[in-house]
Amino acid sequence: MLNRFVLLRFMLLVFFGLAPGDALAQEVCEPTPETLTSLFEPSFGSYSLWDSGLGEGPRQERFKSVLDLGDDTVFAAGEMVPLEGVTPIIMLAGFDRRGRVTWQKYHQVSAVTEVVKILKIGERIVLAANRHKAGETKNIWLGFFDREGAFKAQKVLRDSKRDLVAKDMALSVDGKRIILSVTVEKQMGTKEKPVLSKSPEIHLLDEAGKILSKRAYVMGANSEILGVSSGVSGADKTEVILASGYVENEVGKKTGWIMKTTADAS
């Protein structure tokens, strides 16, 4: 038979909404045991000063190249496709030190297929883009803009018999010449079995985009220079050009290829 005191106590706990365990917890003070938890180390590159995006509605947009202009201003260039199947429109945008968009501009250049890269040369920004208009050979468009993306001048590099495709662009060590990596494409073979041949060239341009010199590299098979940069080498600090890409053999296997040339690309 239950003790009357225990029964009365149980009825009071139920009436006031307390479980027996709660009452026990109030009567007995038990310290919470200490726990040690190991946290995951943050992956390298998982945090940034800021990141920003740009895009509206159904349009397709992507940035291809970006520059830090040195005064907390970031200049970005890319492509905007307003509708599916329409050729890209050149998209430029400026960002402040917190990643906020301060301005954006769009430039419609005929037959542009892709934006390749932007560089700051002098007080202007030069943008390289590839173009292909039906009935014409592929050519390279160089556009010159001010720091706010306003158009200033242009230069077109073309060859009436060869397709020219820009792959990369860099500045010389003194910052006064443009080093442009170009792939020359030729349609070979037959109409039934066409074969596309690719060979690399380096074009050296002045600040206005005028060709100063160009070098072709005949490797005996398909090859391309996909990236170029400039630097100095040796104790005498001789200016050099570094190029990277691939060479393809007769069975279609691609092999990584790196080349160092003199300042005139020879």
Side-chain angles (χ1 to χ4, degrees):
M1 184 173 184
L2 291 175
N3 186 289
R4 292 183 178 180
F5 175 76
V6 173
L7 180 60
L8 178 61
R9 184 170 178 268
F10 179 80
M11 292 174 64
L12 289 173
L13 291 175
V14 173
F15 179 80
F16 287 103
L18 296 175
D22 295 331
L24 181 63
Q26 294 176 4
E27 294 178 358
V28 181
C29 180
E30 294 183 357
T32 303
E34 181 180 357
T35 61
L36 299 177
T37 303
S38 298
L39 302 178
F40 292 106
E41 290 189 15
S43 300
F44 178 77
S46 61
Y47 299 99
S48 59
L49 295 178
W50 56 261
D51 62 79
S52 184
L54 183 63
E56 296 182 7
R59 304 185 312 196
Q60 301 293 320
E61 297 166 314
R62 63 175 179 172
F63 285 119
K64 298 294 292 292
S65 187
V66 64
L67 286 174
D68 187 342
L69 298 184
D71 58 354
D72 290 328
T73 301
V74 170
F75 190 112
E79 308 152 2
M80 185 273 283
V81 180
L83 297 171
E84 185 176 355
V86 177
T87 56
I89 296 172
I90 293 173
M91 174 179 64
L92 305 178
F95 300 84
D96 64 13
R97 61 189 299 270
R98 295 183 179 180
R100 297 173 297 189
V101 179
T102 55
W103 58 263
Q104 60 184 99
K105 291 183 173 64
Y106 296 93
H107 300 274
Q108 190 159 4
V109 180
S110 64
V112 165
T113 58
E114 64 171 338
V115 170
V116 178
K117 197 168 184 179
I118 54 173
L119 295 173
K120 183 177 182 295
I121 184 164
E123 294 302 316
R124 292 183 173 183
I125 309 299
V126 56
L127 179 148
N130 289 319
R131 302 197 313 169
H132 187 202
K133 187 176 182 180
E136 298 181 2
T137 57
K138 296 179 182 179
N139 57 79
I140 301 167
W141 184 85
L142 299 178
F144 295 85
F145 305 86
D146 66 13
R147 298 169 66 91
E148 284 74 42
F151 175 75
K152 295 299 180 182
Q154 66 178 342
K155 186 75 174 179
V156 179
L157 308 180
R158 59 160 45 97
D159 188 311
S160 60
K161 297 181 179 180
R162 307 184 305 166
D163 288 329
L164 303 182
V165 180
K167 292 297 181 178
D168 194 21
M169 183 170 60
L171 287 181
S172 59
V173 172
D174 60 10
K176 295 182 179 180
R177 292 175 299 137
I178 300 170
I179 305 167
L180 185 65
S181 167
V182 177
T183 293
V184 178
E185 296 182 353
K186 294 181 180 179
Q187 291 290 344
M188 304 176 66
T190 63
K191 185 177 181 180
E192 292 74 20
K193 294 183 179 180
V195 176
L196 181 62
S197 172
K198 299 181 179 181
S199 61
E201 293 184 355
I202 289 181
H203 295 196
L204 300 179
L205 318 173
D206 66 10
E207 294 180 335
K210 179 182 177 181
I211 297 179
L212 301 174
S213 64
K214 54 186 177 180
R215 302 278 184 178
Y217 306 93
V218 181
M219 307 299 295
N222 282 339
S223 55
E224 291 185 279
I225 294 175
L226 302 177
V228 287
S229 61
S230 64
V232 293
S233 178
D236 56 353
K237 304 296 183 182
T238 302
E239 182 179 354
V240 296
I241 296 174
L242 297 172
S244 60
Y246 70 88
V247 177
E248 188 177 294
N249 64 17
E250 62 276 2
V251 296
K253 181 184 182 300
K254 292 181 179 179
T255 301
W257 172 41
I258 294 178
M259 176 177 66
K260 180 167 74 172
T261 76
T262 58
D264 64 352
S266 63

